[in-house]
Amino acid sequence: MSDHELRVSKIRNGTVLDHLSGGSALNVLALLGIDGSEGTGVSVAMNVPSDRLGTKDVVKVEGRELSQDEVDVLSLIAPRASVNIIREYEVIEKKRVERPESVQGVVVCPNSNCITNAGEPVRSRFAVLNDGVRCEYCDEIVREGIAEHLRAE
């Protein structure tokens, strides 16, 4: 897709998340805790044509570079995403997300009997599988709707 088709202006400094699955941009914004009240510019393009994905979403966040922890969590709901760091209108770093072996404190276990849901001072810890995540305490597996089980800490 060429730039003239997207019609979203370049950002001076920040992060561009590209190749998000079509329709996932709002989950990505929620995951990153971005709701517009921060006062920073955010551009969202949803369900735009993509040769590789059919349709894709693109999110541009001005004035913010994602941390590695944020990229790791992003990989759970957007495993084919690319993260572009922009400085002075130029892409200074471009990388594909890589799924980590595990994530801590960002997924809520759906098993109400899990120790992580018992009010104990235990952070959730999930092993990342090819098709989901598995709680390392109770072995509960989440394959569908991982975004609904995310918690920002």
Side-chain angles (χ1 to χ4, degrees):
M1 175 175 16
S2 63
D3 288 345
H4 68 276
E5 291 175 5
L6 195 48
R7 297 183 190 218
V8 176
S9 63
K10 290 184 173 188
I11 60 174
R12 182 174 186 162
N13 296 299
T15 303
V16 176
L17 304 173
D18 198 358
H19 302 105
L20 303 171
S21 300
S24 68
L26 298 180
N27 282 335
V28 168
L29 290 171
L31 167 73
L32 298 175
I34 298 170
D35 63 9
S37 65
E38 306 82 19
T40 56
V42 177
S43 300
V44 177
M46 296 179 74
N47 296 309
V48 296
S50 166
D51 292 337
R52 196 167 44 157
L53 299 174
T55 62
K56 69 177 182 177
D57 289 3
V58 179
V59 173
K60 295 182 178 189
V61 182
E62 293 185 51
R64 179 168 170 187
E65 294 183 14
L66 267 56
S67 69
Q68 188 59 51
D69 285 346
E70 289 173 315
V71 172
D72 286 349
V73 174
L74 173 66
S75 75
L76 297 178
I77 62 171
R80 292 182 275 181
S82 62
V83 178
N84 303 298
I85 304 299
I86 312 297
R87 293 191 188 141
E88 294 302 322
Y89 300 103
E90 297 294 325
V91 176
I92 60 124
E93 182 181 353
K94 182 174 188 165
K95 61 184 174 183
R96 313 262 321 140
V97 297
E98 294 181 17
R99 291 171 72 95
E101 290 184 16
S102 66
V103 291
Q104 288 190 39
V106 294
V107 179
V108 176
C109 185
N111 177 357
S112 60
N113 293 322
C114 181
I115 187 72
T116 61
N117 292 319
E120 298 293 330
V122 178
R123 289 182 76 196
S124 68
R125 188 168 56 232
F126 281 77
V128 177
L129 311 172
N130 287 336
D131 63 345
V133 293
R134 178 182 37 80
C135 179
E136 294 191 1
Y137 293 102
C138 73
D139 290 329
E140 182 84 14
I141 295 177
V142 179
R143 286 191 172 89
E144 300 293 322
I146 291 175
E148 289 131 39
H149 297 285
L150 294 176
R151 138 177 84 217
E153 285 203 346

